[in-house]
Amino acid sequence: MSVQYNSNSQPHPVAWRYGGNQMKRWRTKANVSREELAAASNYSPDTIKSMEQGVRMPTPRVLDVADELCRAEGLLSAAKEYLQREKFPARAQDFLEREKEAISRWAYDALYIPGLLQTKGYARMLIESRYPPLDEETVEERISGRMERQAILAERKPPVALNFVIYEAALRSPLVDAEQLRHLLEVSCLRNVVIQVLPFERAISAALLGPMVLLETHDHERFAYTEGQLGSRLSVDPDLVSPVTERLSMIRAEALGRAESDRFIERMVDQL
């Protein structure tokens, strides 16, 4: 299985599509134009169109206004409790479902501290600086979702074996402060977590190709996940899993050991 997403072809939640479809059906039945609904709910017609197509989540306000204009007698307003903002980008949702099933997770990150190891402050800086910019409610949902994911570090039973290799460039980012570095040291104390640093002088070509994650499930099925600026890919295909496994193994072999990595991060804290 291979799932590939890009910015032009991301799946949207079924609830969004169904809610938008029902809103369009009621509007058409009541002979209410898209422009009339837009004006009454203080949205643009294009935004209403996006909601009806399931590209955007129908908001509580537009559902209530549509319910009244279309005389739906509460049937459209009732959809509000089933529509929730997604806490993660659409392109990552399949990967995150597999992550919940994982018994082991190996990862390499070249430019950013991995999401599972981020402090709330660091996560906020990354999410708020996303382009195109996100609205405030989405920012808060994304931050909340990222913090909730971190339950995998210590709350799962049996524990998930987690290995993180972080390129020195990610640690040297101006976004990384002493609090974030200390957090890495705290997490590295967990018995099921290994954090390794790949210093600049030990970088190999495979380390410059971007982030990679390898997941293993209870059924011993392995999934490879790779991500770039314009798309991501989740696959169980051995033709992708095999090279990701090999690259991760090469990078881990070049990275500092667990104790050395802790001392490396400690020195960075002392220098701040």
Side-chain angles (χ1 to χ4, degrees), residues 154-167:
E155 296 179 18
R156 289 265 297 273
K157 294 183 180 180
V160 181
L162 301 165
N163 181 277
F164 303 90
V165 181
I166 307 173
Y167 190 36

Side-chain angles (χ1 to χ4, degrees), residues 38-88:
S41 57
N42 199 28
Y43 285 105
S44 71
D46 284 342
T47 298
I48 298 298
K49 180 179 180 180
S50 295
M51 291 180 184
E52 291 182 344
Q53 292 176 337
V55 176
R56 297 184 62 166
M57 184 189 77
T59 64
R61 183 171 82 239
V62 80
L63 287 169
D64 285 339
V65 171
D67 192 280
E68 182 176 352
L69 281 179
C70 302
R71 299 178 294 281
E73 299 182 350
L75 294 177
L76 283 175
S77 292
K80 290 186 291 185
E81 63 179 294
Y82 300 99
L83 291 167
Q84 298 179 355
R85 285 183 175 270
E86 293 298 318
K87 294 184 177 181
F88 305 104

Side-chain angles (χ1 to χ4, degrees), residues 48 64 67 86 111 116 184 205 231 263:
I48 298 298
D64 285 339
D67 192 280
E86 293 298 318
L111 298 177
L116 293 179
L184 294 179
S205 59
R263 289 193 290 271

Side-chain angles (χ1 to χ4, degrees), residues 33-192:
S33 71
R34 186 175 289 149
E35 288 72 20
E36 288 175 319
L37 177 56
S41 57
N42 199 28
Y43 285 105
S44 71
D46 284 342
T47 298
I48 298 298
K49 180 179 180 180
S50 295
M51 291 180 184
E52 291 182 344
Q53 292 176 337
V55 176
R56 297 184 62 166
M57 184 189 77
T59 64
R61 183 171 82 239
V62 80
L63 287 169
D64 285 339
V65 171
D67 192 280
E68 182 176 352
L69 281 179
C70 302
R71 299 178 294 281
E73 299 182 350
L75 294 177
L76 283 175
S77 292
K80 290 186 291 185
E81 63 179 294
Y82 300 99
L83 291 167
Q84 298 179 355
R85 285 183 175 270
E86 293 298 318
K87 294 184 177 181
F88 305 104
R91 68 178 184 171
Q93 288 169 18
D94 280 327
F95 165 73
L96 295 171
E97 286 301 311
R98 295 292 181 271
E99 186 179 74
K100 293 176 184 177
E101 305 167 2
I103 60 171
S104 69
R105 185 187 189 279
W106 299 1
Y108 169 70
D109 284 86
L111 298 177
Y112 302 105
I113 304 298
L116 293 179
L117 303 179
Q118 293 176 7
T119 62
K120 191 171 184 179
Y122 178 85
R124 179 177 293 279
M125 284 189 287
L126 289 180
I127 293 170
E128 287 185 337
S129 62
R130 182 186 180 279
Y131 190 85
L134 301 170
D135 61 79
E136 189 59 34
E137 190 172 356
T138 301
V139 167
E140 295 303 324
E141 289 288 354
R142 296 279 172 87
I143 294 171
S144 174
R146 191 163 298 184
M147 296 300 103
E148 289 174 10
R149 276 182 65 209
Q150 296 181 4
I152 194 176
L153 295 172
E155 296 179 18
R156 289 265 297 273
K157 294 183 180 180
V160 181
L162 301 165
N163 181 277
F164 303 90
V165 181
I166 307 173
Y167 190 36
E168 184 177 350
L171 299 174
R172 298 288 182 189
S173 167
L175 300 178
V176 177
D177 58 13
E179 179 188 13
Q180 176 64 74
L181 294 175
R182 292 192 187 99
H183 182 66
L184 294 179
L185 294 171
E186 291 172 6
V187 176
S188 71
C189 293
L190 297 173
R191 286 183 298 162
N192 62 311

Side-chain angles (χ1 to χ4, degrees), residues 108-111 205-213 226-228 247-248 251:
Y108 169 70
D109 284 86
L111 298 177
S205 59
L208 306 178
L209 298 177
M212 297 171 282
V213 180
T226 56
E227 189 171 12
R247 290 171 187 171
L248 280 171
I251 292 170

